Amino acid sequence: SVNYRLVGDPRSGPGGAAYPRAEQDIADAVGWLVEHAGELGIDPGRVALLGHSAGAYLVAIVGTDPQFLDAAGVGLDGVACVAPLDGTYDVRAHVAAGGFQGDMYVAAIGDDPATQRAASPPDAVRPDAGTPAFHVVTRGPRVRVAQSEAFVGALADAGVEAGLTDAGRLGHAEVNAAVGQPGDEVVTPPLTAFLDGCL
């Protein structure tokens, strides 16, 4: 489990954690993990990124935009698969919608439309970029589910293996809590099957 600088946290230092700092923190953690794989007794060829909520967005952009993992000395091919759990991915749509969510995205990404586009995982997807396989878990209102569907569609259109689980009956925090829980039949089985397949 890794952490990253948080927007609005004075401990985040000069420039705070606004894009692309938190994103690079995640990639740097992957780079450190791969570099220290021998000491840790892990297989550096079997790295998966999983994130929930804001973490879902972060693993999605790190898993699609090569600049972050390239800067960490790993590259997109250094990650076997990515599973964002109940996140949202179209920054421009959130900013345009306004309100608390829009303000949150402006604080984290900025108000420049070009930066918002660059920071949106569906817009970062490119064919033949070495993008790892994805399994997206979604839930909630139709507009939220539609963002996940559009992201999975962009991945599939680029030739990337991509699947989607709709955990619609679960709440936001329940999606994360369900992972690995005995008796969970919504999130864990498809996620486990995905990880078994890519690792």
Side-chain angles (χ1 to χ4, degrees):
S1 181
V2 304
N3 208 346
Y4 51 89
R5 287 171 282 185
L6 302 176
V7 172
D9 185 339
R11 295 172 296 176
S12 294
Y19 178 87
R21 292 174 186 91
E23 293 77 359
Q24 193 60 56
D25 288 344
I26 299 299
D28 288 347
V30 174
W32 186 93
L33 184 74
V34 169
E35 183 180 337
H36 293 85
E39 302 164 39
L40 299 169
I42 62 171
D43 182 350
R46 298 175 67 210
V47 174
L49 300 181
L50 281 76
H52 173 255
S53 195
Y57 161 77
L58 288 170
V59 300
I61 193 66
V62 169
T64 53
D65 186 338
Q67 71 169 313
F68 301 111
L69 289 169
D70 284 352
V74 179
L76 283 176
D77 59 355
V79 172
C81 44
V82 183
L85 310 176
D86 200 17
T88 53
Y89 311 102
D90 188 334
V91 174
R92 290 171 298 158
H94 279 294
V95 172
F100 169 74
Q101 290 275 337
D103 292 345
M104 183 178 68
Y105 273 87
V106 168
I109 307 296
D111 56 9
D112 174 42
T115 302
Q116 293 168 6
R117 181 182 174 94
S120 296
D123 291 319
V125 176
R126 299 286 181 270
D128 303 319
T131 306
F134 267 75
H135 182 81
V136 177
V137 177
T138 189
R139 51 143 297 279
R142 181 69 200 131
V143 65
R144 186 178 184 90
V145 173
Q147 276 209 19
S148 293
E149 291 172 340
F151 180 36
V152 168
L155 289 162
D157 288 348
V160 177
E161 177 189 335
L164 180 74
T165 292
D166 187 340
R169 67 181 177 85
L170 298 179
H172 183 58
E174 290 175 318
V175 169
N176 194 46
V179 176
Q181 287 300 310
D184 170 51
E185 297 179 358
V186 178
V187 178
T188 304
L191 179 59
T192 300
F194 168 68
L195 293 173
D196 285 346
C198 70
L199 297 177

